[in-house]
Structure formats: structure tokens, C-alpha cells
Amino acid sequence: MLSEFDLIKQYFVRPATAGTHRAALGIGDDCALLAPAPGMQTAISSDMLVEGRHFFAGEDARRLGHKSLAVNLSDLAAMGARPVGFTLALALPAAERDWLAGFAGGLFALADAHGCELVGGDTTRGPLNICITIFGEVAPGHALRRDAARPGDDIWVSGTLGDARLGLAALRQELVLEDAALDDAAQRLYLPTPRVALGMLLAEGRLARAAIDISDGLVGDLGHILERSGVGATLDIDALPAGPVLARQALAVRRAFTAAGGDDYELCFTAAPERREAIVQASAACGTAVTRVGRIEAQAGLRLVDGGGAPLALALAGFDHFG
Amino acid sequence: MLSEFDLIKQYFVRPATAGTHRAALGIGDDCALLAPAPGMQTAISSDMLVEGRHFFAGEDARRLGHKSLAVNLSDLAAMGARPVGFTLALALPAAERDWLAGFAGGLFALADAHGCELVGGDTTRGPLNICITIFGEVAPGHALRRDAARPGDDIWVSGTLGDARLGLAALRQELVLEDAALDDAAQRLYLPTPRVALGMLLAEGRLARAAIDISDGLVGDLGHILERSGVGATLDIDALPAGPVLARQALAVRRAFTAAGGDDYELCFTAAPERREAIVQASAACGTAVTRVGRIEAQAGLRLVDGGGAPLALALAGFDHFG
């Protein structure tokens, strides 16, 4: 029988790698101790993933470990913060060794890729629930806030949108994909790539003004920037970069899923037009594509237009857990 | 219908009170931003509370709000850290206004008493689960770590022990308490008092060496100090301060519940004998009683003795969620 303490020791405590970590004290005490870098602000975000809501029952443990951390890293990316560490609180129906090994494997592979250290947490028995709280650092005044968009700013998105939603639609049998296409789309759903390096470059160089990560669909998430910044926008729906599988689907599906798909974990950011060249350079430097998709305007509200500039009335909304 | 965003806005976003808070950016962005006090370390702890495991189904929302934060504040207290802020991740079966108002009321009353600010979090639908991650600050080298006990140290506990376990026993009908006694004991179970001020005084004055908060029972939690410090101890079981209701129970019940009750949220700490007078002064200064209950020794293992010093063999163990 695996005890709570053995579970933590065997799967989540790792040998200290000198020089690579910020924690003055890690797992095993009442608290972890972090020594903040002098003069830097600490960016903090918390996400809770629930079985049947954020992932299917029986989801592969390794993918789940990856995704649980990825959604939090994506929040740091949207502030332009450098990842430092995270806590993991885990409610499990049972302590199964294979599941734990897979989950920890997926979690730590992504954590190591971003130099982000597990510093503490909690484990308990209960319906499967994964809560990660992540810490990053960012220089004062450099964070990419939702309330910083200004009329005249370009609106940009990173990567491609909609494939995760397409994969979900296929898994729910709302539409049919060929096996290879389903594999590609499901990959985006299960193994999102947080845009940490792009976010850090945008913040360090003061290239972007406002940013948000696209988790509930672009239209809904851009709406948060508009509301917090007290501005409006026009969005060119046919400029939205579709994922490789989605690009081959019908126009209506492509428009709906790029504009309001969800689970993209790309960045949406606004920037002054003078920054276009520097943003393209930053994009090349970190290997993450960026696309201009619209314009911030003083007039409140979000106006959708097609590739020819004609207004479109689409019923699109962000995801609401209690809606 | 209460949306996720309305829920957060109505129950968890509060007007900023200038000058009292550390957050440069609070709820409503991808991350919160904290500005750490120069030169201080950040203490971090995360606790997850699950319905049916950490509290009964149908538990009063206000008490639950209090307890959810109290167990985290208790972890800061055990490090000697000053509370700064916390994140709240909440999975709810439904968004019920009365429940939310009660929960937020209990949570914020305790948070305000400790100057600890809600800076962010997450809400989702799911089986009731409350995950709080708390942040405090402590001067480098002052934190009360589990690995710092030394042979010759006194062992101390704060407050009184065992009433929470007694209340639980009565609620589970393992024994019978009169109504007034049950109310008193249940109060300790439902509304624990984190010993934040005592922990801070012990750390600031370098009065204590090792400390832990007593959440799984004294014997089990002291065992973590012994293991991490590579030492043993003798514990005088009849010196353990019983709670007011427990003090009137039979000797065997008193011994078992003070030594291994659980849910006490008192501090157990070790200190050099030269510190006795200063510790008693600190105790008086913060109004939290402290009692010497044993001695750290070089010989490994925990030895229980009665009031006359005779060895006792009691089968006592800390709580294990997967045991």
C-alpha cells in the first residue's frame, strides 16, 4: 500500500540540481521558501482541472500531467513572466503507481523544459482534481496586463487557433475526421504548447501593450482585454490563423472554431503599429508564428468582419463554467 | 443564472484599500502581481480540502471559508512567516448565492484579521473542492524548519490539543458528549485558530529552532521533525495540554486524543532550554499559551512516558490520506 508520504517521496520529490533552482527550501516542510530575484515582481496564477470538465475520465496520465502545468505556464506567458516554480495539489480516487508515474513524467518533462521547479503542494483522496499554482517573475512595469490596450493598437495572435476545438468536436462525434487528422487535432487538445518564450520577449522589449492567453476562445478572451481597457475592436475573422487540420474544413467551421474554439493556449496581444517589425523579429527568435488579426478602436464593442471587410454577425461566446 | 465571471466579481473581488495591500495587480488578469518586500524570502503553502474527507457534506459555508484559510495560515505560522496573500481555486457543484456569500464571509473575516489578501484564483464546476495557496514573508535564516531540531531542545506545543478530535468522535457517535461540551469541541473542529502571531514572534526573535503545525496529530507531526532533523525524543504524554472539554474525559481518551487527535492547528516547536523565559514572554505577548511537553534526544525514535516518567506503549499514528 502506497502511503501519502511515500507517494510524494517516490513520484514528486527529485534530487536537487545545484544552481538550477530558486527554492531555498522545497518539498517536505510546512512551506516552501523562495528567494525572489531582487527588484522583480512575482506573477502568480492558479488553475484547477476537474475530471469530466477539463478532461475526459480515463485521460492518459502523462498527457494530463503536461496539460495541467501547460495551462498555468500559459498564464505566465500572457503576463510576459519567466517561470520560477509551482505547487501541485492533487485529489486522487486512489494512489495508482502507473498513473502517478505517467502524470509525474508528463508534468516534469514540461517543467524542466521551462526551468520551473515543483516546490510544494498537497495530496489527498477525493474525486480527481488537479490544482497548480505557478510563480514567475517579471520586471516592474513590464507585465502584459489586460487593461493596457489603446485605440490604434494592432491585435495579434500567436500560432494557430481552433484545432483543439476541432479535436474535441470529433471526439464528441459532432463531426467526423480522418484518423490522421484526428490525431493531429487531438494533439493540440491534449498537449498544448504554452508560449512562454514569446511572452517574455514581448514583455522584456516592451513590444506589446495588453495580452491574454486564449483558453476560452479568442472572441471571449479578447473581450476581457476590451472590457478592462475600456476600448473596442474590429477583428478580421478570415485573418485568424487556422490550425493545419482546421484549415481543410468548411468555412463556417473554420470561422467558428478559430474565433471561439477554446483550449488554444495561444497568446492574443495588442501592440502599437510601430512595433510590427520588432514583433516579427521576436517571433522569429523564439520560433512562434504571429499574425495580425485586427485593430483596437475607441468605439466600444467587438466588430467581426470578413476578409473583404464586410461586417459579420456570428453568435460566438467564450466558455463559462457556470453558464 | 450566475456566470463564472459574475460569481467572481460579486463574491470575491473587493474594493482596494489603499496602503494595506502588497499586490501590484489583483484579481482579473492572467496572473496577480506581488511586489516582494526587499530581502525577504517568500513562504508558500498549498492545501486542498475535499468534501467528505476534510469536512462533512453540507458543512456550513461560513465555517468552511474560515477553515479553508485557517489551515493554510497555520502552515505559515509553522514557518514563522507573515501572511501576505493567497489564491483560491474552487470547484463547486453549483453556483449558489447563499453558499457563496457565507463562504466568502468566513474566508474574508479571517483574511482581514491577518492582513492577508486574496490575489487570484480559479472557479469551475465540479465536486466541491477548495484549494488555497498562501504566500507569506520571512527574513532569510529565520524560518522555522522541520530539520532544525537538536538534542537537548525542549519540545513545546501551543494552546490545547484534542478537542477537535473529541468533537469529531462525538459527531461520528464514537462517544457521547453533552450539548454544551459538544458545541465547545465542535468549535475547535470547525473554527481552528492559526497561531500566526506566535509563529512570527518565535521566528523573529530566533526563539525556536524547528516547528511544525499539528494537523495530523502531535505524534505523527512531531515524527516529521524527528525524521527531518535526524534526532529522537521523549514526550511526556500527561503534560500534553488537553482542551477544556477533553480534560474532563477518561485518561485513555485524553491521552489518545491529545497525542494523536488531529485537526488541532496548534504549533509544535523545539527550542534551546536557554530560551524558556523568552518563549514564555512571547506567549504572553501574543496571548497564546505554550506548554513544554518533552525533550529532543540524539537517540532515534519517539519514546512516550507518563507523568511519573514510566514508559508507555501506545499505538498512535498520524493521519494518512492513502493509509
Side-chain angles (χ1 to χ4, degrees), chain B:
Chain B
M1 189 63 198
L2 195 60
S3 79
E4 180 181 357
F5 302 103
D6 287 342
L7 183 164
I8 294 168
K9 205 179 279 183
Q10 286 184 31
Y11 296 101
F12 295 110
V13 177
R14 308 165 83 205
T17 42
T20 63
H21 60 128
R22 182 70 49 83
L25 180 63
I27 294 170
D29 215 303
D30 296 284
C31 294
L33 293 175
L34 289 190
M40 299 295 268
Q41 291 186 334
T42 305
I44 301 171
S45 182
S46 206
D47 276 291
M48 179 173 267
L49 275 69
V50 175
E51 186 176 68
R53 189 106 197 135
H54 301 89
F55 55 91
F56 294 109
E59 166 63 331
D60 174 76
R62 190 177 174 89
R63 293 195 305 209
L64 195 54
H66 173 101
K67 185 161 181 174
S68 301
L69 185 61
V71 302
N72 281 280
L73 285 165
S74 186
D75 285 318
L76 289 186
M79 297 301 280
R82 176 187 301 277
V84 172
F86 66 103
T87 60
L88 166 69
L90 198 55
L92 296 171
E96 289 171 14
R97 289 179 187 276
D98 285 352
W99 192 93
L100 284 161
F103 182 85
L107 182 82
F108 285 128
L110 186 63
D112 291 349
H114 291 279
C116 192
E117 187 186 359
L118 178 63
V119 298
D122 195 12
T123 54
T124 181
R125 205 187 280 265
L128 184 55
N129 183 308
I130 303 153
C131 183
I132 287 181
T133 303
I134 198 164
F135 316 99
E137 59 190 24
V138 61
H142 283 248
L144 308 174
R145 300 168 55 139
R146 294 182 182 177
D147 61 5
R150 293 192 209 164
D153 278 3
D154 295 324
I155 301 170
W156 299 75
V157 297
S158 68
T160 59
L161 304 176
D163 263 0
R165 178 67 182 85
L166 186 67
L168 184 64
L171 292 168
R172 286 179 177 163
Q173 305 186 302
E174 295 166 9
L175 51 76
V176 176
L177 293 180
E178 290 170 23
D179 285 355
L182 177 58
D183 285 350
D184 285 355
Q187 187 84 353
R188 286 294 305 263
L189 179 64
Y190 292 131
L191 295 170
T193 305
R195 302 304 188 183
V196 174
L198 176 64
M200 285 171 58
L201 288 173
L202 294 175
E204 282 166 10
R206 294 183 184 273
L207 303 184
R209 285 205 177 100
I212 191 168
D213 80 315
I214 308 172
S215 56
D216 294 339
L218 173 62
V219 163
D221 288 323
L222 176 59
H224 296 307
I225 288 184
L226 303 185
E227 187 191 343
R228 301 271 300 186
S229 299
V231 295
T234 293
L235 195 66
D236 176 358
I237 202 161
D238 291 327
L240 299 180
V245 183
L246 183 55
R248 302 192 295 270
Q249 306 296 312
L251 181 66
V253 172
R254 204 172 73 209
R255 283 177 169 174
F257 287 5
T258 51
D263 263 340
D264 294 303
Y265 299 103
E266 296 291 351
L267 297 185
C268 170
F269 58 97
T270 83
E274 308 88 270
R275 300 294 193 203
R276 284 179 193 171
E277 196 179 316
I279 287 168
V280 170
Q281 284 173 5
S283 158
C286 65
T288 301
V290 294
T291 308
R292 270 191 296 128
V293 298
R295 172 74 58 110
I296 298 292
E297 293 156 351
Q299 188 195 342
L302 178 61
R303 289 157 291 281
L304 302 177
V305 297
D306 68 15
L312 279 173
L314 292 184
L316 302 168
F319 187 76
D320 177 354
H321 282 289
F322 293 98

Side-chain angles (χ1 to χ4, degrees), chain A residues 29 34 42 44 48 122 146, chain B residues 29 32 34 42 48 122 146:
Chain A
D29 216 304
L34 289 189
T42 304
I44 301 172
M48 180 173 265
D122 196 10
R146 295 182 181 178
Chain B
D29 215 303
L34 289 190
T42 305
M48 179 173 267
D122 195 12
R146 294 182 182 177

